[in-house]
Amino acid sequence: MNRTKLPVWIAIAFIVPALFSIFSIYRRNQAESLNRATAFAVEYDTLENLAAAQGVTVDRAIQLLKPQGLNAVVLGEETMAELIGRGRATIATSYSNAPGVGEALTSLRFIDPQDLARVQKALRIRLQNLAGPLTARDGMLPIPPVSAGLVRATSIGLNPEEAAIARKNGLIIVARCANPPGVSVKTVEQTLAWAHELGADVFLPEGDQVLGRRDAIPTTIDSLKQLGMLYASAEFAKIGGDDIVVRTAPENVVRLHSAQAAELDKLSLPDAVERYVKASRERNMRILLVRPFSYGADEPLTAFSDFLHLIGERIVKEGGALGSPKPFGDPHLPRWYPVLIGLSIVPAAFFVGCAFFADRRVRIAGGALLLLLGLACATHMGLQLMALVATLAFPVAAFLVLDSWRPSNVVLGFLAVTAISLVGGLCVAGMMNGLPYYVKAQEFSGVKVSIFVPILIVGMLFLQQLSDLKQVWKSPITWGAAALGLTIIVVLALMIARTGNDTGVGASGGEMVFRNFLDRFLFVRPRTKEFLIGHPLLVIGIGMLAYLNRRPQKTPLLGGWVALLLMVGSMGQTSIVNTLTHLHIPVVLSLARIGLGAVLGCIIGVGLWTIVSKLLPQGEEA
């Protein structure tokens, strides 16, 4: 393969899609900047326990926590068994006195008529026609013809007393409702209407399924819209039907983050605060369900108040705000705008294809296909495919430019490669711009391919340019080469396993300490594989490429190593693109992360290249 030749129009092929994408990203940033408010929520049971432990009322506890940012409370459904357990209802059995009749009659006995009315309503919602004809007499309600166990397990809705306390103190009520077996469409409608009647503004699924899962989910969505209630989508939770609600009604969704007690128990106080702050700032979580950092303290309510204060203070300090949660607004881009960006990608992608395929017929067919993909960006599938093309084309194009240019100034070379790669990420962020992407209803689905395929292409490109492939294949494998190859395979496999969100392959303890250190001292944490590995090795690779350009006689000896440096260095470039494909993260933070990583990586790379360049043989220019 000959050294890459650049067409005269290549700069335009990079500038035009960048400009179109920047305008779209500007609109996205406007939509994101109008929704910075994060709500602190706490479960009512937690609130009640902390208040009791410190010897104050729930009302007083709320008054202490509201100045720290508390503005929402999560109320779960009660069951009949809980009402019985509190002594407010009993199950009584009587027998008929009629001659020859030995049938037992089971009833619920209530002290408070309001409890009776509440349970009667709950049974009618849950059991529909079976509970319809039941009539209460003398504080007793006959049990429908079902088992007493089913009655005990029946939800009786939100606790009206707790709801009244929340409303009185101006708290947003988040209703947590389960999805019991056999829920009908009418039950879904009435359950949500009852919660709204008691003051609920937000619905949060209880358990592992959304209310109405499966066939009645459309009813759930329609009911929430009609009632003016928001849907809280819990981050990292595996809830059946959640994706359907988020995908169908993104305009009605707010995202919620919580940490279980077992998770908090493994964190230090600064790390626990950082977890909530990052959820709000970096992943657009609009409700933080906060649980106590410590369950044991002299004054547990005060300790919890201090915890809330630390979180709220950091959120405000880092540009966020505390307040009522709301869904994101639309960026108001024309429907044809993704097509415009898609078509603007075609020249750069065509340039990359021509670099690897010399046959004119293949080039014409490829160009026609790219044009069709650009036009298909009006569809979801076309958008996904053209976004994938952008993530592959621009990083590879950056190294083709590098191969042609081979700059003697490593900083200029690094900045040029990074800028071209960045255009690929900008194109994805510009095309995939809208409500479904802000709430993760839709995502870029080609993440792993876009990260690793360019790395392999760059490796093969420079291996062909800087070494004799035929000789390489014929050469015997040494133990050193085998160990190096195995190491590279293991590193790439680990990267593949850890690419994406919630992969199941977490960071090591030492890595988490290092990440937390960066989080505390930097505006935003750059990606480790960029500023510590990819970018420094790329700078060294660019320097070595310039060295070989001046001394081609050294190419047989060093060419393979330079190709390896550039291949591993391209990992930082694909990571840049990948950062902008995380479409639920505020775009300003993604750009800041990329910029900071590039600056730090370039500084480290230049420092290492200064040392390496001194060690290289300095002979006469060839």
Side-chain angles (χ1 to χ4, degrees), residues 114-335:
Q114 291 184 343
D115 287 336
L116 188 153
R118 178 188 176 195
V119 172
Q120 190 174 29
K121 182 173 184 176
L123 292 175
R124 285 175 177 164
I125 289 174
R126 179 69 179 92
L127 303 177
Q128 298 295 317
N129 294 333
L130 284 177
L134 299 179
T135 303
R137 292 181 181 177
D138 301 325
M140 297 186 67
L141 180 68
I143 289 181
V146 295
S147 69
L150 179 58
V151 172
R152 284 176 174 271
T154 297
S155 162
I156 55 174
L158 308 184
N159 185 313
E161 296 168 358
E162 296 173 355
I165 291 173
R167 290 197 309 271
K168 182 178 70 173
N169 287 281
L171 296 182
I172 297 166
I173 296 177
V174 180
R176 184 172 247 173
C177 303
N179 187 48
V183 169
S184 67
V185 167
K186 188 175 289 187
T187 299
V188 170
E189 293 174 341
Q190 294 175 345
T191 297
L192 292 174
W194 194 12
H196 182 65
E197 217 176 276
L198 292 170
D201 305 291
V202 183
F203 166 68
L204 173 66
E206 172 72 51
D208 56 5
Q209 289 188 338
V210 174
L211 176 66
R213 173 75 168 171
R214 299 179 180 255
D215 296 343
I217 281 187
T219 303
T220 302
I221 296 170
D222 291 341
S223 296
L224 290 173
K225 289 182 178 179
Q226 290 170 11
L227 295 168
M229 294 177 65
L230 299 177
Y231 175 80
S233 177
E235 187 182 28
F236 304 135
K238 306 298 184 183
I239 300 176
D242 175 80
D243 59 329
I244 298 174
V245 179
V246 174
R247 188 171 60 248
T248 306
E251 73 283 357
N252 212 47
V253 172
V254 290
R255 302 189 70 210
L256 177 146
H257 175 82
S258 66
Q260 300 297 327
E263 295 174 303
L264 290 174
D265 193 50
K266 299 175 183 178
L267 302 175
S268 65
L269 179 58
D271 291 342
V273 171
E274 189 68 26
R275 170 171 175 149
Y276 284 109
V277 173
K278 286 178 67 175
S280 171
R281 180 182 183 232
E282 297 189 9
R283 300 194 302 280
N284 279 327
M285 297 295 130
R286 296 286 70 103
I287 300 179
L288 300 181
L289 176 50
V290 185
R291 294 186 170 92
F293 174 71
S294 173
Y295 280 87
D298 289 338
E299 295 183 324
L301 181 63
T302 302
F304 184 62
S305 175
D306 293 340
F307 187 41
L308 285 181
H309 175 75
L310 290 173
I311 299 171
E313 186 178 49
R314 281 285 308 281
I315 288 175
V316 172
K317 183 179 178 181
E318 297 188 7
L322 304 180
S324 299
K326 62 179 181 180
F328 282 96
D330 193 272
H332 301 295
L333 282 169
R335 293 175 62 87

Side-chain angles (χ1 to χ4, degrees), residues 325-485:
K326 62 179 181 180
F328 282 96
D330 193 272
H332 301 295
L333 282 169
R335 293 175 62 87
W336 47 263
Y337 205 81
V339 176
L340 181 64
I341 297 177
L343 290 173
S344 72
I345 294 168
V346 171
F350 183 74
F351 160 68
V352 171
C354 290
F356 294 95
F357 297 97
D359 190 291
R360 188 170 176 227
R361 289 170 299 179
V362 173
R363 290 181 175 184
I364 292 173
L369 179 60
L370 288 171
L371 285 171
L372 289 175
L373 284 178
L375 293 171
C377 286
T379 67
H380 175 72
M381 181 57 69
L383 197 61
Q384 289 283 346
L385 290 174
M386 204 59 188
L388 180 60
V389 169
T391 61
L392 299 176
F394 285 96
V396 174
F399 281 89
L400 289 172
V401 170
L402 178 67
D403 178 45
S404 175
W405 181 21
R406 300 196 179 184
S408 57
N409 187 308
V410 293
V411 175
L412 286 179
F414 172 77
L415 292 178
V417 171
T418 300
I420 297 171
S421 297
L422 178 63
V423 176
L426 293 176
C427 288
V428 177
M431 287 192 295
M432 296 183 162
N433 185 4
L435 282 176
Y437 301 104
Y438 303 161
V439 297
K440 289 194 75 175
Q442 293 179 9
E443 300 177 88
F444 172 60
S445 57
V447 171
K448 293 185 186 295
V449 173
S450 67
I451 286 181
F452 298 103
V453 169
I455 294 175
L456 298 177
I457 293 175
V458 168
M460 291 303 299
L461 168 68
F462 284 100
L463 193 60
Q464 285 182 314
Q465 296 284 29
L466 302 176
S467 64
D468 186 346
L469 278 180
K470 292 182 179 180
Q471 187 62 35
V472 170
W473 293 121
K474 291 179 181 179
S475 300
I477 298 176
T478 63
W479 283 107
L484 179 61

